[in-house]
Amino acid sequence: MATFTSSFSLSTHIQSSRTKLTLSSIRSPLPNFSCYYGRGGLRPSKFVIRCSTSSVTDIPTVSETKLNFLKAYKRPIPSIYNSVLQEIIVQQHLMRYKRSYRYDPVFALGFVTVYDQLMEGYPNDEDRNAIFQAYIKSLNEDPDQYRVDAQKLEEWARDQNSTSLVDFSSRDGEVERILKNIAERAGGKGEFSYSRFFAIGLFRLLELANAMEPSILEKLCAALNVNKRSVDGDLDLYRNLLSKLVQAKELLKEYVDREKKKREERSEPQKANEAITKCLG
């Protein structure tokens, strides 16, 4: 399992004529999946994808994916959200067009979890959904499928416990069949591409089943034929991301409240003048 080092940062610059708020110290643990395939495996590089298949020309570039997103959602996005979205879409583009990539609902649950955490508190619910639609469509995938599958796994996990969650292979059901299929592919009987979104999907299942003990995660990883060490590292980074996002949003809220108060203070003399003018005819 290759190890990826994060170079992804959440940098937000909010400027006004009197105030400049910089959040450059807030760094996100989501990885930069910038890499290329060379001798010795995956190596850090610029956003370049090299494949030995003849269909490489059919793979869109990162720039094309980002352009598709901007075309699908043309309204401005506040920088605290947009800077992270732009970084994540690059990472997911590289996941999406790997030769071994195959969509699965656990991956979808992981992405939906990250997206909803990131966009929590976004000013407009309708816009938040429209951004999600544009984002997934820019990757040539189905946003409705992401939502439906994520909800399906969440509902299933709420009905599980520490024992039943890891004992999926002995039972029959729609979600159980999904997990069995993942286990077969991850075990070498098909193509499987591990990612941090997949790890976050596992974390969400454990969270909803109230099965957060480390031993349960170890058993679930074993049942799915997934490297637990990679999952542990990715979940540590995810928890750190959530903490950083909370800090960033608190700073943004303080800034917005401060600017609102300043506008109200500036408007008071103007309102008084207007009242006097109206009174004097």
Side-chain angles (χ1 to χ4, degrees), residues 2 30 91 98-99 112 180 194 209 273:
L30 283 176
Q91 299 168 24
K98 285 178 63 177
R99 291 178 60 187
V112 168
K180 288 182 207 178
Y194 171 82
N273 290 335

Side-chain angles (χ1 to χ4, degrees), residues 8-155:
F8 170 56
S9 63
L10 169 59
S11 300
T12 305
H13 301 279
I14 308 170
Q15 299 183 5
S16 69
S17 58
R18 296 185 178 181
T19 308
K20 181 178 180 181
L21 175 64
T22 302
L23 304 180
S24 58
S25 61
I26 301 175
R27 300 188 59 81
S28 162
L30 283 176
N32 186 335
F33 285 95
S34 318
C35 56
Y36 69 87
Y37 286 92
R39 295 186 61 183
L42 287 167
R43 300 180 183 277
S45 180
K46 298 295 184 182
F47 300 126
V48 177
I49 304 176
R50 296 178 182 174
C51 302
S52 59
T53 63
S54 58
S55 61
V56 67
T57 55
D58 298 329
I59 298 176
T61 64
V62 171
S63 296
E64 288 172 337
T65 295
K66 294 176 73 174
L67 182 60
N68 288 338
F69 173 61
L70 295 175
K71 287 180 178 178
Y73 189 81
K74 299 178 181 180
R75 300 183 64 180
I77 301 174
S79 59
I80 191 172
Y81 302 98
N82 190 51
S83 60
V84 185
L85 286 171
Q86 291 298 321
E87 291 288 347
I88 295 179
I89 201 170
V90 171
Q91 299 168 24
Q92 194 164 348
H93 171 100
L94 297 175
M95 298 178 207
R96 167 72 175 83
Y97 293 107
K98 285 178 63 177
R99 291 178 60 187
S100 59
Y101 174 79
R102 179 177 172 182
Y103 171 87
D104 71 64
V106 176
F107 176 95
L109 175 60
F111 174 77
V112 168
T113 300
V114 171
Y115 181 86
D116 288 346
Q117 290 283 354
L118 168 64
M119 303 298 283
E120 183 181 11
Y122 196 79
N124 186 293
D125 290 343
E126 185 177 342
D127 287 344
R128 181 168 61 236
N129 182 60
I131 293 169
F132 180 86
Q133 294 277 329
Y135 181 104
I136 299 299
K137 287 179 180 178
S138 71
L139 292 159
N140 293 315
E141 292 193 310
D142 184 355
D144 294 333
Q145 183 182 24
Y146 269 70
R147 284 293 185 189
V148 169
D149 287 343
Q151 183 177 0
K152 187 184 304 177
L153 262 65
E154 287 179 340
E155 292 174 351

Side-chain angles (χ1 to χ4, degrees), residues 251-266:
L251 288 174
L252 179 62
K253 184 178 184 301
E254 290 176 5
Y255 168 79
V256 171
D257 291 344
R258 187 164 58 249
E259 289 301 302
K260 181 180 179 182
K261 184 177 180 180
K262 288 181 179 179
R263 287 195 300 270
E264 290 174 349
E265 290 174 350
R266 289 194 295 266

